[in-house]
């Protein structure tokens, strides 16, 4: 995965601001996979995309603060905000389901590894975040720790627990049994 | 393939699948809106700052053109009141309507023909113009070309008056009428060449001058008193350009006797006191008289309706002396005073005699009362006692 994070410095214009350049690059190269990553964490595609866009706006507002790994930062920020906004959006979705989608609106449901989603759904948020950053974004344990703001040992613990849980769930699914 | 590799591939594939439906264009729009909003506030701020700057520049130009610009065609000028108090009038020979005090700031917008009266902007009624003696004003800069305006022509006055926004904020006006003002300044006449001084002097005007002004003033000329009630000397004629330096006549209001409280009744009460001593038998220092001490502490409890100012001890006939006691506790009205008496050294070994210690308490009015103690004083041969 490309790393489009930058350290900000002085810029003459908005369009020429390093953060603006980084965000443009992010949208072109990393946006979809980050939305997918957040979807794995939140289990909700619509929530994930909204949260990613909100995180991008936040990244722009905080353009004076350095962000070393923008995709990872957006993933964590979006998944955190999606958790807080999950209830509100869930209520909105339930209302939409009751009313039914507009006739002229075409809904797109991504085809996702549902077994993996279900297995991830059984993990705590921190373990989901650590797993996505480690496996999807290919971050090292040190970098995952930096993104989550925890110690390296904590990340190792999170990854170990997540791996054990996922292995158990996915192997059970593969064999068709229940652990 | 290890489980980790399999899990990594599976999660990446799932992330790609889940994000495949994402719309980067929507994200780009949102980012564009954010960046546009970041740039947007600059515009209104610049407009506000620019507007303020333009406004300030306009005000500055207006003030400079009308007030501050040195030159010959100024219409108004700022001035300060240079006398302790000066009446203002509705016209040069009109009615006193108020007063200004030393330190007040006004705008001079015009003058009369003789330049003895100045038309000023009345601070508390910005749409009005009042007149004041030119002698009472000290312009910030010399202005000899303020327009000559006619008091009766109100539109002319208002046209000459500066806008309200230009009135100095520090200007204050005492709106008390002239009749209640103890000292005011007024020129004798607005048209001294044609009118008699007694007819042009403002009503209810008494004269005063700058308290410390060394400005030359002609000697006072006899002028009929404007009103019978006026007790101060009449105003001098307007100051013509004369080189004769003469101190300006100064009148001061008669001193008003301050109400004095009735004197308190005289203090005739004597202090009261009680005296005691820690020992009534004193022997010289170094003596071995078992029942004697080398010194005694004199203690006096003294009280007075106003306050005891001093307590003194005197003793004699031999040895003799005196000593002041100091207050160790209490107050002047009721306190305890103490001092130490003795040792009496240098007495003959066989000396043995009573001395009388007189203790006197006094108050500020000179009242005093005394009491006495008897102390037996011996020499080294205390057995003789």
């Amino acid at each position: 995965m490309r790393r489009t994070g930058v350290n900000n410095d002085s810029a003459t214009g908005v369009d020429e601001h390093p953060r603006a350049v980084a965000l443009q690059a992010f949208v072109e190269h990393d946006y979809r996979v980050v939305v997918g990553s957040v979807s794995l964490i939140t289990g909700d595609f619509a929530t994930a995309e909204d949260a990613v866009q909100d995180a991008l706006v936040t990244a722009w507002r905080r353009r004076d603060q350095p962000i070393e790994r923008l995709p990872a930062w957006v993933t964590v920020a979006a998944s955190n905000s999606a958790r807080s906004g999950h209830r509100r959006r869930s209520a909105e979705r339930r209302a939409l389901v009751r009313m039914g989608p507009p006739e002229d609106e075409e809904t797109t449901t991504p085809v996702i590894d549902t077994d993996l989603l279900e297995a991830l759904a059984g993990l705590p948020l921190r373990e989901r975040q650590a797993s996505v950053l480690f496996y999807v974004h290919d971050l090292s344990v040190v970098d995952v720790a930096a993104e989550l703001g925890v110690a390296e040992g904590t990340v190792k613990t999170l990854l170990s627990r997540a791996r054990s849980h996922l292995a158990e769930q996915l192997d059970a699914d593969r064999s068709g049994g229940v652990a | 393939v290890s489980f980790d590799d399999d899990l990594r591939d599976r999660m990446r594939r799932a992330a790609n699948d889940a994000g495949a439906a994402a719309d980067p264009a929507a994200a780009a729009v949102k980012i564009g809106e954010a960046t546009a909003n970041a740039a947007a506030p600059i515009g209104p701020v610049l407009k506000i700052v620019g507007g303020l700057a333009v406004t300030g520049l306009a005000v500055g130009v207006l003030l400079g053109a009308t007030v501050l610009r040195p030159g010959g065609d100024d219409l108004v000028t700022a001035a300060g009141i240079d006398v302790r108090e000066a009446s203002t009038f509705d016209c040069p020979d009109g009615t006193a309507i108020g007063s200004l005090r030393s330190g007040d700031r006004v705008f001079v917008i015009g003058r009369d023909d003789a330049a003895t009266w100045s038309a000023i902007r009345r601070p508390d009624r910005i749409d009005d113009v009042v007149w004041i003696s030119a002698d009472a004003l000290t312009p910030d800069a010399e202005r000899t070309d303020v327009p000559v305006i006619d008091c009766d022509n109100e539109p002319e006055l208002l046209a000459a008056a500066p806008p309200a926004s230009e009135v100095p904020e520090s200007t204050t006006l005492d709106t008390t009428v002239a009749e209640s003002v103890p000292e005011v300044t007024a020129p004798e006449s607005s048209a001294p060449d044609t009118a008699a001084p007694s007819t042009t002097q403002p009503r209810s005007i008494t004269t005063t001058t700058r308290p410390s002004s060394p400005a030359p003033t002609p000697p006072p000329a006899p002028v009929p008193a404007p009103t019978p009630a006026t007790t101060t000397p009449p105003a001098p004629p307007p100051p013509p350009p004369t080189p004769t330096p003469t101190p300006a006549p100064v009148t001061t209001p008669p001193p008003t006797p301050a109400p004095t409280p009735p004197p308190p009744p005289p203090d005739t009460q004597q202090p009261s006191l009680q005296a005691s001593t820690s020992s009534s038998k004193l022997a010289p220092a170094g003596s071995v008289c078992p029942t004697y001490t080398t010194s005694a502490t004199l203690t006096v409890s003294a009280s007075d309706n106003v306050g005891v100012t001093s307590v003194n001890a005197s003793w004699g006939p031999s040895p003799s002396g005196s000593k002041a006691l100091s207050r160790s506790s209490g107050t002047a009205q009721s306190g305890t005073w103490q001092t130490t008496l003795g040792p009496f050294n240098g007495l003959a070994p066989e000396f043995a005699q009573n001395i009388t210690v007189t203790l006197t308490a006094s108050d500020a009015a000179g009242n005093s009362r005394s009491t006495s103690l008897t102390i037996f004083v011996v020499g080294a041969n205390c057995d003789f006692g």
Side-chain angles (χ1 to χ4, degrees), chain B residues 27-198:
Chain B
V29 170
K30 203 157 189 176
I31 293 172
E33 292 175 354
T35 55
N37 290 335
I42 299 175
V45 170
L46 287 178
K47 289 179 181 177
I48 294 172
V49 172
L52 291 175
V54 170
T55 303
L57 181 63
V59 171
V61 169
L62 181 62
L63 285 174
T66 58
V67 179
L68 304 178
R69 182 164 59 93
D73 58 347
D74 297 319
L75 295 178
V76 296
T77 182
I81 304 301
D82 198 37
V83 295
R84 188 167 57 187
E85 200 158 20
S87 286
T88 56
F89 301 83
D90 57 355
C91 283
D93 54 350
T95 303
I97 56 177
S99 67
L100 292 169
R101 295 184 176 180
S102 176
D104 287 343
R105 302 275 299 162
V106 296
F107 272 121
V108 179
I109 63 170
R111 62 179 177 87
D112 63 350
D113 289 330
T116 55
W117 289 86
S118 295
I120 62 172
R121 185 113 177 141
R122 184 172 172 175
D124 65 335
R125 291 170 57 183
I126 56 177
D127 293 327
D128 202 351
V129 175
V130 295
W131 291 81
I132 192 170
S133 168
D135 290 340
L137 298 176
T138 299
D140 293 348
E142 283 299 325
R143 296 286 187 276
T144 59
D145 52 356
V146 291
V148 176
I149 54 180
D150 186 0
C151 174
D152 296 329
N153 190 348
E154 186 173 351
E156 181 184 9
L157 286 173
L158 294 179
S165 58
E166 296 180 19
V167 175
E169 293 184 2
S170 60
T171 299
T172 58
L173 177 66
D174 184 355
T175 56
T176 55
V177 296
E179 285 75 12
S180 63
V181 175
E183 294 185 15
V184 294
T185 298
E188 184 180 14
S189 170
S190 61
D193 296 337
T194 58
S198 59

Side-chain angles (χ1 to χ4, degrees), chain B residues 109-355:
Chain B
I109 63 170
R111 62 179 177 87
D112 63 350
D113 289 330
T116 55
W117 289 86
S118 295
I120 62 172
R121 185 113 177 141
R122 184 172 172 175
D124 65 335
R125 291 170 57 183
I126 56 177
D127 293 327
D128 202 351
V129 175
V130 295
W131 291 81
I132 192 170
S133 168
D135 290 340
L137 298 176
T138 299
D140 293 348
E142 283 299 325
R143 296 286 187 276
T144 59
D145 52 356
V146 291
V148 176
I149 54 180
D150 186 0
C151 174
D152 296 329
N153 190 348
E154 186 173 351
E156 181 184 9
L157 286 173
L158 294 179
S165 58
E166 296 180 19
V167 175
E169 293 184 2
S170 60
T171 299
T172 58
L173 177 66
D174 184 355
T175 56
T176 55
V177 296
E179 285 75 12
S180 63
V181 175
E183 294 185 15
V184 294
T185 298
E188 184 180 14
S189 170
S190 61
D193 296 337
T194 58
S198 59
T199 59
T200 57
Q201 187 166 358
R203 296 191 300 270
S204 302
I205 297 302
T206 57
T207 304
T208 187
T209 61
R210 300 175 178 85
S212 59
S213 174
T217 304
V223 176
T227 60
T230 302
T231 56
T232 52
T242 171
T244 305
T246 303
V250 176
T251 61
T252 56
T256 303
T260 56
D267 178 21
T268 59
Q269 185 171 339
Q270 296 173 322
S272 61
L273 72 167
Q274 289 182 334
S276 62
T277 178
S278 62
S279 174
S280 60
K281 297 167 70 176
L282 296 181
S287 67
V288 292
C289 306
T291 59
Y292 289 75
T293 61
T294 58
S295 63
T297 300
L298 301 176
T299 302
V300 174
S301 297
S303 60
D304 184 70
N305 62 328
V306 177
V308 177
T309 56
S310 64
V311 178
N312 287 292
S314 59
W315 58 88
S318 178
S320 62
S322 63
K323 196 173 187 180
L325 283 71
S326 58
R327 193 173 70 218
S328 58
S329 64
T331 63
Q333 289 184 317
S334 178
T336 300
W337 303 67
Q338 287 184 322
T339 191
T340 301
L341 184 66
F344 295 116
N345 298 323
L347 301 174
E350 64 277 12
F351 182 86
Q353 186 173 329
N354 280 324
I355 63 172

Side-chain angles (χ1 to χ4, degrees), chain A residues 9-171:
Chain A
D9 53 13
S10 60
T12 54
V14 170
D15 294 337
E16 299 174 358
H17 194 283
R19 183 59 53 80
V21 175
L23 291 174
Q24 292 294 335
F26 175 89
V27 169
E28 293 178 8
H29 302 287
D30 302 317
Y31 177 73
R32 283 193 170 96
V33 71
V34 168
V35 171
S37 298
V38 177
S39 297
L40 295 182
I41 298 173
T42 62
D44 188 319
F45 172 78
T47 300
E49 185 161 25
D50 290 343
V52 167
Q53 293 179 3
D54 292 342
L56 292 174
V57 173
T58 302
W60 168 247
R61 290 174 181 165
R62 299 179 183 177
R63 55 188 175 278
D64 294 331
Q65 301 175 9
I67 298 177
E68 187 174 356
R69 293 168 289 269
L70 185 59
W73 185 91
V74 171
T75 299
V76 174
S79 57
N80 286 334
S81 65
R83 180 182 57 171
S84 61
H86 178 69
R87 292 181 178 178
R88 177 177 57 81
R89 295 189 181 92
S90 296
E92 293 173 354
R93 282 198 302 274
R94 287 194 297 271
L96 289 174
V97 168
R98 286 194 301 270
M99 297 172 63
E103 293 181 355
D104 58 346
E105 182 176 322
E106 182 181 354
T107 58
T108 56
T109 302
V111 178
I112 310 174
D113 187 343
T114 54
D115 293 339
L116 179 63
L117 282 179
E118 290 179 1
L120 287 171
L123 297 176
L125 175 65
R126 278 303 197 196
E127 291 183 11
R128 277 178 276 151
Q129 290 175 326
S131 298
V132 167
L133 292 177
F134 184 78
Y135 290 112
V136 177
H137 291 257
D138 202 19
L139 263 60
S140 67
V141 171
V142 174
D143 291 341
V144 172
E147 293 299 329
L148 295 181
V150 298
E152 294 179 27
T154 304
V155 173
K156 291 177 182 177
T157 301
L158 293 173
L159 290 175
S160 176
R161 290 176 180 172
R163 183 180 181 278
S164 297
H165 176 82
L166 293 175
E168 183 179 346
Q169 292 293 316
L170 294 177
D171 283 345

